[in-house]
Amino acid sequence: MKKELSFFLVLLVIFMFHNNSTLNSYPFGSPGNKTGSIGDGGQNCMGCHYGSNIGVGGSISSNFLNNTYIPGNTYTLTLNAPSNYPNYGFEITAEDPVTGSNKGIFIITDNLNTKSIENSTSVTHTIDGTSQESWTFDWTAPGFASSSSSVKFYASIINGNGNGSNSGDTYCENSLTVFENTSSLSNEINRVYIYISENKIFINNFIDWIQISDLSGRVIYRDNKLIKGDKILIQSEKLHIVEFFSDEKYFSNKIYIQPTL
């Protein structure tokens, strides 16, 4: 009886060890908040996978122009893992690098290998995606009202050794910082429709309707039927959002009103 009990206890210990080893790995995707970012409290994949941390590894490629983004626009990113590992896993998120708040929304373009988590503020692998060395997805930048001066992408990558458990894997991380395009107005708007000088907005063409608001959404100016030569005086010194219709087209952009000297 004692031998049978001892044998049972040994089997139980082996089962518990194996069960813990497999349950703490996530072949179907990260459980979330494991990118090592500020918003994730510095937690990364090493909390569930046991192995070596090789530091910075892999890369993040994108179609950002000069590492800048325009609020509301959508961009394509590719996360590349180090080569020659049996399998992989990852999580990536985008945050304000100062506050750690999530920025923008991820859009899944490869449902077979990737999926969104955390209300589309992060992306991770699927079970099929563990055989990939790179993953591609889109990201829509925050709109004018919620944009910040920069956004940092934090990526956490597990390089699996293929033993079916969470032991013996290696971990690496990567990041990419992009900055909001601070040009106050596009060339087309600046050249054809309106011009900004200090705290004045000069009208260069017929404007059907124009509205100016602060970043909280509070409207500080609204008018219609403006003609060339009209000007708008803005008293407050800070970032604003200007929206207007002209030539049957809608324009919206962030502008900075400078103080008068």
Side-chain angles (χ1 to χ4, degrees):
M1 180 66 180
K2 289 183 178 180
K3 288 184 178 180
E4 291 178 355
L5 181 60
S6 298
F7 180 70
F8 173 76
L9 290 174
V10 170
L11 289 178
L12 181 61
V13 169
I14 293 174
F15 171 77
M16 291 177 65
F17 176 80
H18 175 74
N19 194 43
N20 180 66
S21 176
T22 55
L23 284 181
N24 284 338
S25 60
Y26 294 91
F28 294 94
S30 168
N33 301 311
K34 300 295 183 183
T35 65
S37 69
I38 295 175
D40 290 347
Q43 297 185 65
N44 57 41
C45 300
M46 294 296 286
C48 301
H49 291 260
Y50 307 109
S52 59
N53 184 341
I54 61 176
V56 177
S59 63
I60 303 173
S61 56
S62 67
N63 63 345
F64 292 110
L65 181 62
N66 298 322
N67 277 2
T68 63
Y69 70 90
I70 297 174
N73 282 14
T74 298
Y75 301 89
T76 298
L77 295 92
T78 299
L79 176 61
N80 307 288
S83 299
N84 301 320
Y85 285 88
N87 46 44
Y88 300 89
F90 80 95
E91 184 185 348
I92 187 170
T93 193
E95 294 181 358
D96 183 310
V98 177
T99 66
S101 59
N102 294 119
K103 289 296 179 181
I105 294 294
F106 285 96
I107 302 171
I108 298 303
T109 57
D110 178 7
N111 289 295
L112 180 64
N113 296 303
T114 61
K115 65 179 183 179
S116 62
I117 56 175
E118 303 296 329
N119 296 317
S120 297
T121 59
S122 299
V123 177
T124 187
H125 59 276
T126 63
I127 185 67
D128 291 293
T130 59
S131 62
Q132 304 297 307
E133 292 185 357
S134 65
W135 307 269
T136 298
F137 35 83
D138 285 352
W139 175 77
T140 299
F144 291 107
S146 59
S147 182
S148 56
S149 59
S150 62
V151 172
K152 187 172 183 178
F153 294 88
Y154 297 85
S156 186
I157 304 172
I158 280 292
N159 311 298
N161 61 3
N163 68 355
S165 75
N166 61 348
S167 61
D169 300 326
T170 60
Y171 167 79
C172 63
E173 58 191 17
N174 212 297
S175 64
L176 171 68
T177 300
V178 294
F179 301 89
E180 182 182 341
N181 189 325
T182 56
S183 58
S184 58
L185 293 170
S186 69
N187 289 334
E188 180 184 12
I189 296 175
N190 193 46
R191 182 178 66 251
V192 177
Y193 298 102
I194 65 177
Y195 173 75
I196 299 173
S197 177
E198 296 181 341
N199 65 334
K200 301 179 185 67
I201 299 177
F202 295 90
I203 307 302
N204 285 343
N205 209 329
F206 179 78
I207 302 292
D208 296 287
W209 171 88
I210 189 169
Q211 175 176 291
I212 301 169
S213 55
D214 60 24
L215 296 188
S216 70
R218 182 177 64 91
V219 176
I220 62 174
Y221 180 88
R222 181 186 290 136
D223 204 351
N224 53 32
K225 309 301 182 185
L226 277 69
I227 61 174
K228 183 176 181 179
D230 286 344
K231 65 180 179 182
I232 302 169
L233 180 65
I234 304 298
Q235 300 291 347
S236 55
E237 173 203 347
K238 55 183 175 180
L239 287 169
H240 293 77
I241 299 170
V242 59
E243 303 171 86
F244 62 90
F245 282 98
S246 185
D247 293 337
E248 299 183 347
K249 292 186 290 186
Y250 169 77
F251 297 91
S252 176
N253 217 318
K254 187 179 290 186
I255 60 174
Y256 183 74
I257 302 299
Q258 299 178 349
T260 55
L261 299 177

